[in-house]
């Protein structure tokens, strides 16, 4: 530039005339200052590099969180579940099948299965209690009820907070029997 600054130029040229031997004798072209575009591209590259670093950090954090969850999941004798309220999809940990006899496929991916396993004498009360928490600003649900195992027998079950089951025997939490 006139001030002595370096700038990025994009040049386009086109041969417009050739001599009898086919050699170019005239070329017409344009020079475009792309300094701002190059600066923007560099800024995008820097932002992308930073974003990739943040994604890697977040991924590492999620990986560590998943590892901690799996350690807790294996350390507990409780059945742990997670339900997506909007879709009804339910995930059960591996303690569900030994405790109640149902495979994840048999339990399905929605609350219909769970409701069908509630003892008829307590079903309406339990469902009303869950609904009361969901309809309020409450965050936890604590209840006890009878739940039907695959063999048809009902077991007393307690839910402490949202998503943790404990077996009850004579009103006390008990560990599942070793197989």
């Amino acid at each position: 530039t006139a001030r002595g600054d370096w700038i990025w130029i994009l040049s386009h040229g086109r041969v417009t005339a050739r001599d009898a031997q086919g050699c170019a004798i005239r070329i017409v072209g344009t020079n475009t200052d792309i300094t701002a575009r190059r600066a923007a591209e560099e800024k995008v590259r820097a932002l992308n590099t930073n974003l990739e670093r943040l994604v890697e950090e977040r991924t590492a954090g999620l990986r560590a969180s998943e590892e901690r969850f799996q350690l807790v999941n294996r350390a507990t004798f409780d059945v742990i579940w997670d339900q997506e309220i909007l879709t009804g999809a339910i995930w059960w940990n591996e303690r569900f099948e030994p405790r109640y006899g149902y495979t994840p496929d048999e339990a399905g991916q929605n609350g219909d299965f769970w409701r069908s396993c509630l003892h008829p004498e307590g079903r309406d009360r339990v469902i009303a209690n869950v609904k009361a928490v969901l309809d309020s600003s409450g965050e936890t649900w604590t209840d006890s009820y009878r739940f039907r195992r695959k063999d048809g027998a009902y077991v007393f079950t307690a839910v402490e907070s949202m998503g943790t089951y404990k077996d009850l025997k004579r009103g006390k939490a008990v560990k599942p029997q070793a197989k």
Side-chain angles (χ1 to χ4, degrees):
T1 67
R3 296 182 323 188
D5 296 329
W6 289 91
I7 61 172
W8 284 94
I9 299 291
L10 176 63
S11 295
H12 286 284
R14 181 183 188 118
V15 174
T16 58
R18 296 186 180 274
D19 64 15
Q21 289 79 30
C23 294
I25 58 172
R26 174 170 277 163
I27 187 169
V28 175
T30 61
N31 286 337
T32 305
D33 181 349
I34 61 165
T35 304
R37 183 174 95 186
R38 289 289 299 221
E41 289 171 351
E42 187 56 39
K43 186 174 182 177
V44 167
R45 271 192 290 280
L47 289 170
N48 189 50
T49 299
N50 188 47
L51 181 60
E52 288 173 352
R53 181 186 56 78
L54 292 172
V55 166
E56 181 54 39
E57 288 173 5
R58 179 70 176 180
T59 301
L62 289 172
R63 200 174 298 118
S65 179
E66 173 67 15
E67 289 171 5
R68 283 190 303 274
F69 171 77
Q70 290 303 328
L71 288 171
V72 169
N73 185 32
R74 286 191 297 271
T76 184
F77 291 102
D78 294 340
V79 172
I80 300 173
W81 55 274
D82 178 43
Q83 181 174 18
E84 174 60 45
I85 300 300
L86 295 177
T87 65
I90 298 177
W91 169 86
W92 304 91
N93 74 343
E94 63 269 10
R95 301 284 191 254
F96 180 76
E97 186 174 355
R99 176 82 44 89
Y100 299 113
Y102 302 101
T103 66
D105 288 339
E106 291 170 316
Q109 293 296 308
N110 64 54
D112 294 340
F113 166 80
W114 174 77
R115 284 186 291 278
S116 74
C117 289
L118 294 173
H119 192 281
E121 292 176 10
R123 183 177 297 130
D124 291 343
R125 175 191 56 79
V126 172
I127 292 171
N129 289 344
V130 171
K131 186 174 181 341
V133 171
L134 296 177
D135 290 345
S136 71
S137 60
E139 295 182 6
T140 60
W141 166 52
T142 301
D143 210 336
S144 61
Y145 52 85
R146 291 175 285 179
F147 191 82
R148 186 182 63 243
R149 292 189 319 219
K150 186 174 182 176
D151 65 8
Y154 282 91
V155 293
F156 282 95
T157 299
V159 177
E160 294 180 5
S161 199
M162 200 54 116
T164 303
Y165 279 88
K166 289 191 176 192
D167 277 349
L168 289 184
K169 188 174 189 179
R170 295 187 203 118
K172 295 184 179 181
V174 294
K175 293 181 182 178
Q177 299 299 316
K179 293 189 175 196

